[in-house]
Amino acid sequence: MYADDTAISACFRNSKSVTLALNKHLALLENFFDEWKIKINVEKSAAVALTYKRTLPPPPTMYNQIIPWSQETKYLQLIFDNKLTWKKHITYARDKFRKVMFKIYPLLNRNSHLDLNCKVLLYTAVLRPILSYGCPVWGYAAKTNNNILDVAQNTLIRMIVGASPPTGVAVVAEWYRYRTVACLVTSSSPVPLKTHRVGQRCTLNMSRAETSSRWYGVVVRRGGVPAQVSSTSLDHGSKLRGPSPKALV
């Protein structure tokens, strides 16, 4: 697993200063990449304006090529849309969750003879990280979007405990209460996805309201190879100090 993308973000009240700030930092990156013989695929690089404004500033340039503004981009397996609703990322996570769930369906279905604790361990170790990956960033999405993941998880829990659809909601609630109490005894017991998501996101305040007016960013692709990262790669990255008031690589 590897990640070879670099992201730059700039925050200004005046949108005219955005392009200047991004171009200054892209120029610094050009010198760095040329010095270390790193090839950049400008065509696959993307620029996203996280704003509700209809009028956008001129797009940034790199190696004399324009990087047009995009509606969305993927960075470290997170899909950033220009309105930060996170619906596309949540839908992507749900589809990925279902694909993995179907692969291990013989072990989790109600006819499986696998012990319940082993099923819960499979869910905690394999499936829940897919649903909760990056939740400190997208955890502030609308409730209707977060419910997409909750529905997917509840479907899996009903399958694990062998609950029929009419009594599924009651069984899921009882399972939640049981595992939450057990969590106080053993750290290996899972907690509800919503509780886990809220606990993870409290350390990073990146709400849609705070970023909707004046955040702009560029994701630079290296060598034309798509980025693939594991759930432990979210914290990777380095900071680049430059002339603009605020920039992050």
Side-chain angles (χ1 to χ4, degrees), residues 59-210:
T61 59
M62 189 173 191
Y63 290 107
N64 297 324
Q65 296 186 35
I66 296 177
I67 304 177
W69 295 114
S70 304
Q71 296 295 320
E72 63 182 47
T73 187
K74 181 183 289 187
Y75 180 64
L76 292 182
Q77 293 297 89
L78 295 174
I79 300 177
F80 292 79
D81 60 276
N82 61 340
K83 298 297 187 296
L84 284 185
T85 61
W86 302 106
K87 184 175 182 179
K88 292 187 177 181
H89 171 75
I90 291 175
T91 303
Y92 166 78
R94 180 200 60 188
D95 295 341
K96 183 178 180 181
F97 171 82
R98 288 178 175 176
K99 290 180 181 179
V100 177
M101 182 179 68
F102 290 148
K103 289 182 180 179
I104 59 177
Y105 175 80
L107 299 176
L108 298 178
N109 67 80
R110 64 189 64 192
N111 297 322
S112 174
H113 298 289
L114 191 66
D115 183 71
L116 177 61
N117 291 330
C118 294
K119 292 181 179 180
V120 173
L121 180 61
L122 278 175
Y123 157 73
T124 307
V126 179
L127 294 172
R128 192 177 69 178
I130 299 176
L131 297 179
S132 60
Y133 172 73
C135 61
V137 178
W138 55 261
Y140 289 95
K143 184 178 180 180
T144 54
N145 292 334
N146 283 326
N147 285 342
I148 296 175
L149 300 182
D150 294 334
V151 170
Q153 181 191 236
N154 292 342
T155 302
L156 173 65
I157 294 175
R158 286 196 298 268
M159 181 175 62
I160 289 178
V161 300
S164 58
T167 60
V169 176
V171 173
V172 167
E174 183 64 27
W175 187 86
Y176 270 163
R177 288 193 292 269
Y178 169 74
R179 302 312 301 182
T180 302
V181 173
C183 184
L184 299 177
V185 180
T186 168
S187 59
S188 62
S189 300
V191 297
L193 178 63
K194 183 177 180 180
T195 305
H196 177 76
R197 185 168 59 230
V198 173
Q200 290 291 324
R201 79 187 186 191
C202 65
T203 58
L204 180 60
N205 188 12
M206 188 178 178
S207 64
R208 181 177 57 181
E210 292 183 348

Side-chain angles (χ1 to χ4, degrees), residues 235-247:
D235 297 330
H236 290 179
S238 59
K239 293 185 178 180
L240 176 66
R241 301 295 182 183
S244 66
K246 190 169 186 179

Side-chain angles (χ1 to χ4, degrees), residues 45-61:
S45 300
V48 179
L50 307 179
T51 179
Y52 285 106
K53 294 181 178 180
R54 296 182 179 180
T55 303
L56 298 179
T61 59

Side-chain angles (χ1 to χ4, degrees), residues 8-26 47-51 53 55-61 67 69 213-218 243-247:
I8 301 175
S9 65
C11 176
F12 287 92
R13 295 185 180 276
N14 186 358
S15 59
K16 296 181 180 180
S17 303
V18 171
T19 304
L20 295 176
L22 292 178
N23 286 335
K24 287 181 180 180
H25 285 275
L26 288 174
V48 179
L50 307 179
T51 179
K53 294 181 178 180
T55 303
L56 298 179
T61 59
I67 304 177
W69 295 114
S213 61
R214 55 183 185 276
W215 276 85
Y216 301 80
V218 176
S244 66
K246 190 169 186 179

